[in-house]
Amino acid sequence: MVSYDDVPISDSSSEFDMLLNMGPQHPSTHGVFRMLLKIDGEVVTHAEPHIGYLHRGSERLTEVEQYHQVVTLMDRLDYLSNFNNEWVYCRAVEKLIGVEIPERAEYIRVILGELNRIASHLLFIGTFGLDIGAMTPVMFAFRGRERIQGLFESVSGARMMHNYFHIGGLKEDLPENFSDNISQLILRLREDIEETDRLLSFNELFVSRTKGVGIISKDLAIDYGWTGPGLRACGVRYDVRKSEPYSVYDRFDFKIPTTLDGDCWDRYFVRVMEMYESLSIVEQALEQMPEGPVNVLGRRLVRPPKNDVYMKAENPRGEIGIYLISDGSDKPYRLKVRPPSFCNLSALKELITDSYVADAVVILGSLDIVLGEVDR
Amino acid sequence: MDTDLGEYEMLGSIKGMFVTLKSTFKKPVTDQYPNKRRPVEARYMGFPALTWDYEVIEPYCTACMVCIRDCPTQCMTASMKDNVLYKEEKSHRRKIVDKFEINLNRCILCGICVEVCNFDAIVMSHEHEMSVHERNGDRVDLIELLDMGKRFQRDTKWIPPSQLKKRSSVSDKPPIVSPPDKDGI
């Protein structure tokens, strides 16, 4: 147990310093995250983040589950981008056993992965607005997210824990009414995103709360291992989909939005721009999608040869990495996840120190962490 | 804060109020839940249930234990017995399910049991409102599972997937690609 005495008291602290325990049930911590703040008036002089409240031992559990059962555990890492997690794990196992999955399956994976990115960013925008005190955007954002999840339900049968990507392709082909559903969805989704964008992005109350708050420099962000929208907000044009294109991403024409300042507003705005790009990727993928089979392995027991593999992909929150060691049996010997949320969260102490308490909430919100992935 | 807002001062909140005003005159999209339930999608994965063979009047399940071995959370148990109808030559199932129990509190609704089943015996039903008062109230036995399955079969006009496959043309089967390493699979 960490007690209040564990927080180091620096020489500069006055006797008026107060310790404030924020979380683990605080709504703005987006889960079970706890911070111990030392505050002098309204200024945070020291912050001590505590994680581990949602530790479920996912990495250990993979060692006692067969390869096809591990997909269900990957769903539960970052529970806002389930398809992307399943995707990177399936790619890792497919590389181990050396199978190429059918083109149609690749395209369906891209479509669902990008829609999941939009759903995740929409939830970020809604909750980020809530952190600041804007009550309306969350309603608009959740309406859009609800539509995406309705589509996911019709495809995979579940709204969040899909278990739809299988090793060697997909569980089954798309439903018959998919093309109608998705063309309607894209139209409505574009309206939803534009509406949320108009409502929030350049609202001066929003801008004055977020612009110039929680600035991180390019070098520091790289030092902390930041990836994803947080890093791109500092002006680093790094995206795994472009730098090392996986799946069929090299066939699409899309941009990587970047901004220069690296503050909370930039981290927000990069995500808004990314949603438009994701939407265009979905449209392109729908045009190019071929007919054909979606699975090459069926449901045969997978037994990869003795080897290890590291596979990375661009999740909504940054670069996720899967390091997988196989000992030739039907269960992984070891599976290590490099979670983007965890690496982004590591810079929190640096960002929060010397900011206001109210801004601490904004900064934490702008990092867009998912505790299921931080603690695993 | 040195953000330069200039003449846009206060415009944002007025714009926000305008959006609220616009929404006031729209028809609400909220469903009043207990009175009105939204239909679920055809592929929706609710709690697992066992299907009933109306031609032979017995369950499809032979308690072969495939789903039980493949379940990631070990939420099921089962045992089999000799089939009386097989001796009377009414059924082709030599063995039949005797006891079957699923702890729905442990079930994570992944659908692996349905994928691995060779006898079309288990389905992901559309039932999802299973709150109970007792701690162990969600441990459902064979009778309850078959009831759930019968409801599902009736509501969705269920046809066994193996029969569906026979009906559709054989040519759309995925080609079997052999992996390069023979130890691969």
Side-chain angles (χ1 to χ4, degrees):
Chain A
M1 275 308 284
V2 182
S3 72
Y4 283 69
D5 303 332
D6 291 346
V7 178
I9 295 167
S10 59
D11 297 329
S12 61
S13 67
S14 67
E15 56 187 299
F16 302 109
D17 274 359
M18 193 178 101
L19 281 180
L20 181 72
N21 187 30
M22 194 173 155
Q25 270 88 32
H26 195 279
S28 77
T29 54
H30 299 263
V32 278
F33 174 68
R34 177 170 152 234
M35 282 189 289
L36 213 48
L37 303 176
K38 196 156 80 170
I39 51 178
D40 180 11
E42 262 194 85
V43 180
V44 179
T45 54
H46 189 90
E48 195 67 36
H50 292 298
I51 58 168
Y53 286 91
L54 201 60
H55 177 68
R56 297 152 297 174
S58 298
E59 285 177 8
R60 177 69 183 88
L61 273 174
T62 58
E63 294 164 23
V64 295
E65 304 273 22
Q66 290 171 352
Y67 279 95
H68 66 109
Q69 295 174 332
V70 174
V71 180
T72 61
L73 289 167
M74 293 295 118
D75 273 333
R76 286 157 176 79
L77 286 182
D78 178 355
Y79 43 76
L80 299 179
S81 59
N82 319 67
F83 275 131
N84 301 65
N85 292 333
E86 288 178 19
W87 193 0
V88 63
Y89 168 74
C90 288
R91 276 176 53 227
V93 183
E94 280 153 14
K95 189 166 184 195
L96 265 183
I97 56 178
V99 282
E100 289 270 320
I101 71 161
E103 285 242 310
R104 185 176 169 82
E106 290 278 20
Y107 276 97
I108 293 171
R109 283 181 180 190
V110 167
I111 291 168
L112 294 175
E114 291 301 321
L115 282 177
N116 216 156
R117 189 185 309 277
I118 297 171
S120 168
H121 284 347
L122 275 174
L123 189 128
F124 163 78
I125 286 169
T127 52
F128 191 49
L130 270 186
D131 285 342
I132 284 155
M135 292 296 289
T136 322
V138 72
M139 308 290 174
F140 288 81
F142 262 74
R143 189 186 55 187
R145 186 166 178 270
E146 176 65 33
R147 282 176 186 152
I148 298 175
Q149 282 191 314
L151 184 90
F152 287 170
E153 190 188 320
S154 75
V155 172
S156 70
R159 294 162 63 81
M160 285 176 86
M161 308 302 169
H162 310 289
N163 192 20
Y164 183 65
F165 292 180
H166 279 201
I167 297 154
L170 304 169
K171 184 179 172 185
E172 53 192 332
D173 207 343
L174 295 169
E176 281 162 11
N177 56 355
F178 180 77
S179 54
D180 298 340
N181 282 353
I182 195 159
S183 51
Q184 256 184 19
L185 176 79
I186 288 172
L187 284 177
R188 286 169 143 195
L189 212 51
R190 200 178 286 279
E191 281 170 20
D192 283 349
I193 297 168
E194 274 166 7
E195 197 163 21
T196 322
D197 189 9
R198 270 205 307 276
L199 193 66
L200 203 56
S201 294
F202 292 98
N203 183 317
E204 85 267 12
L205 298 172
F206 179 73
V207 173
S208 61
R209 277 299 302 280
T210 52
K211 196 73 197 162
V213 174
I215 297 175
I216 188 165
S217 71
K218 200 186 208 170
D219 297 332
L220 195 64
I222 293 171
D223 286 352
Y224 270 111
W226 272 32
T227 45
L231 183 68
R232 291 194 280 275
C234 311
V236 185
R237 200 174 289 272
Y238 175 72
D239 188 317
V240 184
R241 290 175 293 170
K242 277 276 189 202
S243 61
E244 286 171 54
Y246 55 92
S247 188
V248 288
Y249 273 117
D250 47 351
R251 299 182 200 172
F252 305 124
D253 175 35
F254 65 99
K255 293 193 226 51
I256 306 171
T258 48
T259 50
L260 289 173
D261 295 348
D263 53 18
C264 287
W265 189 84
D266 281 13
R267 287 197 277 278
Y268 158 83
F269 199 62
V270 163
R271 287 186 168 94
V272 174
M273 302 294 281
E274 255 184 40
M275 289 201 289
Y276 291 115
E277 294 300 324
S278 291
L279 219 50
S280 98
I281 294 174
V282 173
E283 278 171 343
Q284 291 172 47
L286 279 171
E287 271 172 30
Q288 299 175 15
M289 187 161 69
E291 291 293 319
V294 292
N295 201 321
V296 286
L297 291 182
R299 32 163 255 259
R300 278 180 283 172
L301 193 64
V302 177
R303 244 193 218 106
K306 247 186 189 175
N307 212 338
D308 59 337
V309 64
Y310 181 78
M311 192 58 81
K312 59 183 177 180
E314 186 73 21
N315 257 26
R317 274 158 204 82
E319 178 190 316
I320 188 171
I322 295 265
Y323 182 55
L324 183 62
I325 307 174
S326 153
D327 60 352
S329 70
D330 57 350
K331 289 166 186 164
Y333 177 75
R334 173 85 168 96
L335 188 144
K336 170 84 181 84
V337 182
R338 182 243 184 246
S341 296
F342 178 75
C343 298
N344 294 357
L345 186 65
S346 60
L348 182 73
K349 206 167 165 179
E350 193 112 13
L351 287 174
I352 281 187
T353 310
D354 295 332
S355 73
Y356 291 116
V357 177
D359 287 346
V361 173
V362 179
I363 293 166
L364 180 65
S366 77
L367 296 181
D368 190 19
I369 51 162
V370 167
L371 265 299
E373 193 182 42
V374 174
D375 297 340
R376 296 196 291 292
Chain B
M1 222 63 55
D2 57 341
T3 40
D4 185 26
L5 299 165
E7 62 204 70
Y8 297 107
E9 204 84 26
M10 283 308 289
L11 208 69
S13 37
I14 293 166
K15 263 198 240 164
M17 295 300 247
F18 184 66
V19 173
T20 316
L21 197 69
K22 248 190 348 194
S23 309
T24 316
F25 299 107
K26 275 185 194 162
K27 202 174 147 242
V29 290
T30 323
D31 286 333
Q32 296 301 322
Y33 164 63
N35 304 325
K36 194 191 166 207
R37 285 174 164 79
R38 247 182 219 194
V40 292
E41 300 283 346
R43 282 188 184 180
Y44 180 78
M45 293 198 290
F47 288 111
L50 295 180
T51 49
W52 184 257
D53 191 345
Y54 284 98
E55 284 169 20
V56 198
I57 327 282
E58 66 179 11
Y60 275 96
C61 182
T62 57
C64 67
M65 309 289 279
V66 164
C67 52
I68 290 153
R69 268 186 275 121
D70 270 85
C71 179
T73 55
Q74 290 97 41
C75 70
M76 319 187 219
T77 49
S79 62
M80 64 168 72
K81 64 178 178 191
D82 287 334
N83 193 0
V84 186
L85 291 175
Y86 178 76
K87 277 174 198 157
E88 297 166 13
E89 294 183 350
K90 284 178 190 160
S91 163
H92 62 279
R93 295 182 186 87
R94 200 185 295 260
K95 301 276 183 183
I96 200 83
V97 59
D98 182 26
K99 283 177 194 150
F100 204 105
E101 189 183 274
I102 303 185
N103 187 348
L104 296 182
N105 287 327
R106 290 194 74 146
C107 177
I108 57 168
L109 311 179
C110 62
I112 287 179
C113 48
V114 181
E115 282 164 45
V116 297
C117 184
N118 296 312
F119 301 102
D120 312 321
I122 193 162
V123 286
M124 298 308 270
S125 71
H126 287 176
E127 314 236 345
H128 52 279
E129 293 155 321
M130 296 286 283
S131 321
V132 283
H133 291 286
E134 301 87 35
R135 186 188 170 95
N136 273 339
D138 268 340
R139 294 173 82 106
V140 285
D141 59 1
L142 182 65
I143 298 162
E144 230 166 313
L145 283 168
L146 286 171
D147 279 348
M148 280 160 73
K150 280 175 192 167
R151 269 203 298 278
F152 174 76
Q153 281 169 283
R154 191 190 61 218
D155 294 346
T156 59
K157 299 186 177 62
W158 180 78
I159 302 161
S162 58
Q163 279 187 30
L164 275 180
K165 251 179 222 167
K166 266 179 217 164
R167 272 186 217 175
S168 63
S169 61
V170 192
S171 60
D172 59 12
K173 263 190 182 173
I176 293 158
V177 179
S178 56
D181 194 333
K182 83 174 194 322
D183 290 328
I185 293 153

